[in-house]
Amino acid sequence: MENKLQLYNTLSGQKELFKPIADGHVGMYVCGPTVYSDVHLGNCRTFISFDMIYRYLLHSGYKVRYVRNITDAGHLEASLAGKSKLDQLEPMEIVQKYTVGFHDIMKMFNNHPPTIEPTATGHIIEQIEITKNILDKGLAYESNGSVYFDVEKYNQQENYGELSGRKIEDLISGTRDLDGQDEKRSPLDFALWKKASPDHIMRWPSPWSSGFPGWHLECTAMSTKYLGETFDIHGGGMDLKFPHHECEVAQGKANNGKQPVNYWLHANMLTLNGQKMSKSTGNTILPMELFTGDNTIMDKAYHPMVVRFFMMQAHYRSILDFSSQALSAAEKGFIKLMSVLKDLDSMKTSSNSSEDVQAIINSFYTAMDDDFNTPILLANLFEAATYLNKVKAGSSTISKDDLEKLSKEMKAFVFDVLGLDMVEEAGSNQLDAAMDIILELRMKARADKDWGTSDLIRDKLTEAGIVVKDGAEGTSWSAN
Ligand code: AMP
Ligand code: ZN
């Protein structure tokens, strides 16, 4: 099939023409969530970015096998002494709770489910097999019941750092002695298998100890199993490039001598107050807090489709900062785009078109073929919207054929590719509409220097639990 898609490959550090291994098919693996807590909005951005990529691959005619794992094996510790079974922390109960929660949130954002969603705990045997194989190749060693990947030995024949661009000398000089590192030959070595301490709940038998696999290994095991020793696309957030993905490259090469992935794609971070949104620092907002308005950051609640639109306004490789103003602007844009889509079916047609409709449609494809440039796609969709609004106003014309074509493509790009959905309630509820009218009347009163009326409106609204704020950016309001 003809293919114009260019994508930025972290491995080569440049945009490349995408050539899948098997014509017409794409194998894509994306690192999934750790299900020991709720996903925050930053996590969601990465999953939404790859959903958009998956959707555009489908729209381009590819048959895609999209694998996104669930990290459910990990470091839960608890004292098991003197408690009944039902009193004890049961990891699989926690895993179940947060997996269900994760799926609910993904659905609200209108993300397609992956075609395979494997769990780390369901692939312990595969992880043990790879560990044995890397040991056999002499690129790992056993130490006190744990197995470590020998980074320096690997680096004698390969290049540890080829993905992230890090240099092994700098990595060595940058490491200090940390706790527990005495088991390792070098601080750079990472665990393929860890012996479990007595308090560690999740454990499996292995040739080396009762223990659990190292985190990097699960993605190598599951991607190889479902997509092959070399596959097309591996994705994840930028913060996983090193060490997680670097270790995956090393494990893949050590395991079967092949470059495991042809195209590495990394999505950039969502920030809040200029800092990476991250669970560990507490600098987060949860999706549900945003949808219900139950948070201290935003002035009101936002619909998931408005949040998705907000994310699509940025390129997936750019940092995106989250704020009340940005979301409120996104809401206006979203409503504007949706209102044009609603008008499409009732648009008047003429014998010819005053603009080149095929060129407009081509611009949608050009934007997305350029490394999934959704902000340019949206700009082009808004240009089409401006043209259609002129048609509606009678100052431009469109033919019946062109309207049908444009309509079909605009809907395809907005709904199928960007994954947006028409929602009546998104910011366009009756309270919003009524508030727009009231604030306009108040502005008119202020313009007329009728301070009595303007203050009366504000005070009455305050009594009704609606706080009006006059700021540099204009007037905003929030309801308790
Ligand atoms: P985790 O559950 O921590 O492994 O994270 C799941 C995914 O979310 C990974 O691909 C991370 O790279 C990504 N991620 C974590 N924090 C952010 C953030 N602030 N913005 C965007 N993606 C993030
Ligand atoms: Zn991973």
Side-chain angles (χ1 to χ4, degrees):
M1 58 193 274
E2 209 218 344
N3 175 29
K4 293 183 179 153
L5 176 62
Q6 298 265 342
L7 36 82
Y8 183 88
N9 187 354
T10 308
L11 197 56
S12 63
Q14 58 194 27
K15 280 188 201 166
E16 294 174 24
L17 185 69
F18 176 57
K19 283 201 210 86
I21 295 164
D23 200 26
H25 290 258
V26 179
M28 176 161 91
Y29 186 91
V30 173
C31 293
T34 306
V35 284
Y36 285 173
S37 58
D38 289 314
V39 279
H40 58 66
L41 202 67
N43 303 132
C44 294
R45 182 186 181 203
T46 288
F47 299 129
I48 291 170
S49 293
F50 283 99
D51 181 63
M52 171 276 292
I53 288 171
Y54 174 46
R55 283 165 173 275
Y56 189 58
L57 291 169
L58 291 176
H59 183 73
S60 305
Y62 290 110
K63 200 167 179 314
V64 186
R65 180 174 294 167
Y66 172 22
V67 184
R68 188 184 64 208
N69 69 302
I70 295 276
T71 297
D72 60 348
H75 308 271
L76 285 187
E77 296 198 351
S79 166
L80 302 179
K83 283 189 184 168
S84 75
K85 180 78 186 160
L86 294 183
D87 262 350
Q88 285 164 20
L89 183 68
E90 174 46 64
M92 290 322 271
E93 203 164 46
I94 295 171
V95 161
Q96 177 73 9
K97 175 179 169 191
Y98 291 110
T99 302
V100 169
F102 170 65
H103 287 155
D104 287 348
I105 296 293
M106 291 297 102
K107 216 169 173 164
M108 285 183 213
F109 277 123
N110 206 24
N111 275 358
H112 282 322
T115 57
I116 304 180
E117 193 169 47
T119 60
T121 57
H123 296 78
I124 301 293
I125 291 170
E126 288 83 349
Q127 296 177 73
I128 291 177
E129 286 306 304
I130 296 176
T131 305
K132 279 187 195 163
N133 194 35
I134 298 178
L135 273 168
D136 286 348
K137 300 257 172 86
L139 291 170
Y141 56 91
E142 188 188 342
S143 173
N144 189 27
S146 294
V147 180
Y148 293 99
F149 190 94
D150 194 332
V151 171
E152 289 182 41
K153 192 153 175 214
Y154 167 82
N155 193 59
Q156 286 164 12
Q157 55 202 64
E158 291 287 348
N159 172 14
Y160 185 78
E162 65 179 302
L163 179 68
S164 59
R166 307 214 181 187
K167 300 227 173 328
I168 195 149
E169 308 81 56
D170 300 343
L171 289 170
I172 294 169
S173 65
T175 47
R176 278 168 286 122
D177 273 349
L178 297 171
D179 244 9
Q181 279 191 352
D182 39 336
E183 278 181 12
K184 299 190 203 174
R185 290 183 190 159
S186 154
L188 292 188
D189 297 348
F190 56 89
L192 298 175
W193 188 264
K194 279 292 276 179
K195 180 180 170 179
S197 66
D199 282 350
H200 204 101
I201 320 171
M202 289 185 116
R203 54 170 72 224
W204 293 265
S206 79
W208 315 287
S209 63
S210 165
F212 55 96
W215 169 44
H216 311 307
L217 194 53
E218 65 176 88
C219 291
T220 295
M222 292 184 270
S223 60
T224 312
K225 174 159 180 169
Y226 298 109
L227 300 173
E229 291 180 345
T230 300
F231 57 95
D232 298 303
I233 297 177
H234 194 312
M238 212 68 102
D239 57 341
L240 298 187
K241 205 191 307 179
F242 187 89
H244 184 52
H245 292 158
E246 193 69 63
C247 295
E248 276 190 61
V249 171
Q251 287 169 162
K253 283 190 163 178
N255 188 32
N256 57 46
K258 292 183 188 150
Q259 185 66 265
V261 178
N262 286 341
Y263 302 90
W264 281 94
L265 268 52
H266 287 103
N268 218 327
M269 297 292 108
L270 185 69
T271 59
L272 179 60
N273 302 317
Q275 302 289 316
K276 178 188 164 191
M277 209 176 268
S278 148
K279 186 174 164 271
S280 57
T281 56
N283 187 41
T284 55
I285 182 163
L286 299 181
M288 281 317 289
E289 293 173 341
L290 187 57
F291 306 156
T292 59
D294 184 13
N295 65 77
T296 53
I297 302 165
M298 311 300 286
D299 55 6
K300 64 186 195 96
Y302 286 96
H303 193 281
M305 285 304 102
V306 171
V307 183
R308 186 169 177 120
F309 179 90
F310 159 73
M311 292 185 183
M312 292 297 130
Q313 284 179 309
H315 190 266
Y316 78 95
R317 281 194 296 114
S318 306
I319 288 176
L320 176 61
D321 194 52
F322 184 77
S323 69
S324 217
Q325 276 125 319
L327 259 253
S328 157
E331 188 174 77
K332 292 197 177 76
F334 175 76
I335 292 167
K336 200 168 136 197
L337 187 60
M338 289 301 144
S339 81
V340 173
L341 291 173
K342 265 188 234 158
D343 288 346
L344 278 173
D345 298 333
S346 56
M347 199 76 64
K348 267 215 191 90
T349 56
S350 310
S351 53
N352 56 20
S353 304
S354 54
E355 291 200 25
D356 183 348
V357 165
Q358 191 54 50
I360 298 176
I361 293 170
N362 292 347
S363 76
F364 303 158
Y365 285 91
T366 311
M368 288 303 284
D369 281 339
D370 182 15
D371 194 27
F372 312 102
N373 202 326
T374 57
I376 299 288
L377 169 64
L378 277 170
N380 296 343
L381 284 165
F382 275 111
E383 268 188 35
T386 306
Y387 168 41
L388 289 167
N389 279 332
K390 281 192 206 151
V391 172
K392 202 175 151 194
S395 59
S396 286
T397 60
I398 191 162
S399 74
K400 188 163 177 292
D401 274 4
D402 276 350
L403 178 62
E404 259 169 35
K405 265 202 295 188
L406 185 58
S407 197
K408 179 172 158 263
E409 296 289 343
M410 282 183 82
K411 285 178 182 168
F413 274 89
V414 172
F415 300 134
D416 304 344
V417 175
L418 292 176
L420 298 168
D421 213 354
M422 192 85 85
V423 275
E424 296 301 333
E425 71 271 29
S428 57
N429 63 31
Q430 285 168 323
L431 177 62
D432 281 342
M435 281 305 297
D436 282 350
I437 298 168
I438 294 170
L439 291 180
E440 202 177 311
L441 289 173
R442 181 164 167 268
M443 246 170 46
K444 189 173 175 305
R446 281 159 65 101
D448 295 344
K449 301 206 172 359
D450 179 0
W451 309 118
T453 304
S454 106
D455 287 351
L456 182 74
I457 292 174
R458 192 197 52 216
D459 296 346
K460 289 282 178 196
L461 285 171
T462 310
E463 275 174 36
I466 293 172
V467 180
V468 175
K469 279 180 254 171
D470 296 309
E473 307 269 322
T475 304
S476 65
W477 61 275
S478 58
N480 298 330

